[in-house]
């Protein structure tokens, strides 16, 4: 029995990312001094898609940093100390950073990402963009740019599918 329900198909996901892109341009009054930081794994792919849309709209390359937050998670029993935090690092001091992730749930991933960002620089401002906000926050964190709010139960999981990994795009919700 398949208990998965598609809540965003490929086209809806593209529209959500396009809307987020326009909101980023509007809030930052363009793309000057803008850096996107994608949280591994799916947040990086979403950040790259947003960067591609920004390039088409603003004719400017916006750098994308890939951020691994593993050693900053508070739910890890073993802290990894020699792990590389970021790939494709560009200077972020005094830059406007948009942190990109697939799903915002408790807020703990974002908290860990903020700790990791402190290791690579001090941005002027950090905004958060997520494809899906599902609620159930445990920390006082909210997204500035949201593709879709999907109220969910804690007994459900939300899976963002990206073609780069999953061979298709979409968002599904299912019972645990």
């Amino acid at each position: 029995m398949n208990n998965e329900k598609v809540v965003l198909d490929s086209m809806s996901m593209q529209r959500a990312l396009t809307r987020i892109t326009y909101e980023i341009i509007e809030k930052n009054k363009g793309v000057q001094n803008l850096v996107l930081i994608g949280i591994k794994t799916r947040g990086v792919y979403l950040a790259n898609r947003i960067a591609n849309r920004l390039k088409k709209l603003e004719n400017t390359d916006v750098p994308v940093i890939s951020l691994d937050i593993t050693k900053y998670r508070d739910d890890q029993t073993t802290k990894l100390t020699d792990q590389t935090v970021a790939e494709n690092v560009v200077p972020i001091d005094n830059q406007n950073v948009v942190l990109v992730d697939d799903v915002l749930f408790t807020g703990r991933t974002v908290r860990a990402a903020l700790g990791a960002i402190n290791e690579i620089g001090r941005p002027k401002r950090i905004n958060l963009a997520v494809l899906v906000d599902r609620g159930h926050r445990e920390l006082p964190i909210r997204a500035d740019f949201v593709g879709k709010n999907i109220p969910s139960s804690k007994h459900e999981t939300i899976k963002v599918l990206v073609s780069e990994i999953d061979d298709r795009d979409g968002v599904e919700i299912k019972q645990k």
Side-chain angles (χ1 to χ4, degrees), residues 13-139:
M13 190 168 152
Q14 285 181 30
R15 282 192 294 274
L17 289 172
T18 298
R19 186 175 55 257
I20 288 170
T21 303
Y22 278 109
E23 290 173 2
I24 289 170
I25 294 169
E26 185 176 322
K27 182 156 188 150
N28 289 283
K29 297 176 177 64
V31 295
Q32 282 60 43
N33 304 317
L34 185 66
V35 176
L36 300 176
I37 298 180
I39 299 175
K40 282 188 170 182
T41 296
R42 285 169 175 78
V44 176
Y45 295 113
L46 298 176
N48 283 319
R49 291 181 188 192
I50 292 169
N52 289 337
R53 284 172 171 77
L54 290 169
K55 171 75 173 168
K56 288 178 185 170
L57 293 169
E58 296 289 308
N59 201 30
T60 304
D61 287 316
V62 174
V64 176
I65 296 172
S66 172
L67 191 67
D68 186 342
I69 60 156
T70 307
K71 78 177 192 178
Y72 293 92
R73 296 202 56 101
D74 61 3
D75 56 358
Q76 293 283 325
T77 55
T78 319
K79 296 292 181 188
L80 306 171
T81 56
D82 58 350
Q83 184 175 10
T84 303
V85 172
E87 297 170 12
N88 316 325
V89 176
V90 296
I92 64 167
D93 292 330
N94 295 315
Q95 299 293 305
N96 295 322
V97 166
V98 177
L99 182 61
V100 181
D101 201 11
D102 56 351
V103 178
L104 178 57
F105 184 31
T106 62
R108 294 192 178 279
T109 297
V110 174
R111 188 217 47 85
L114 294 172
I117 288 171
N118 283 335
E119 193 169 298
I120 59 175
R122 188 174 192 285
K124 179 178 180 180
R125 178 177 69 221
I126 301 174
N127 290 119
L128 176 61
V130 296
L131 182 62
V132 174
D133 184 344
R134 64 174 292 189
H136 304 287
R137 221 71 79 238
E138 294 174 2
L139 298 171

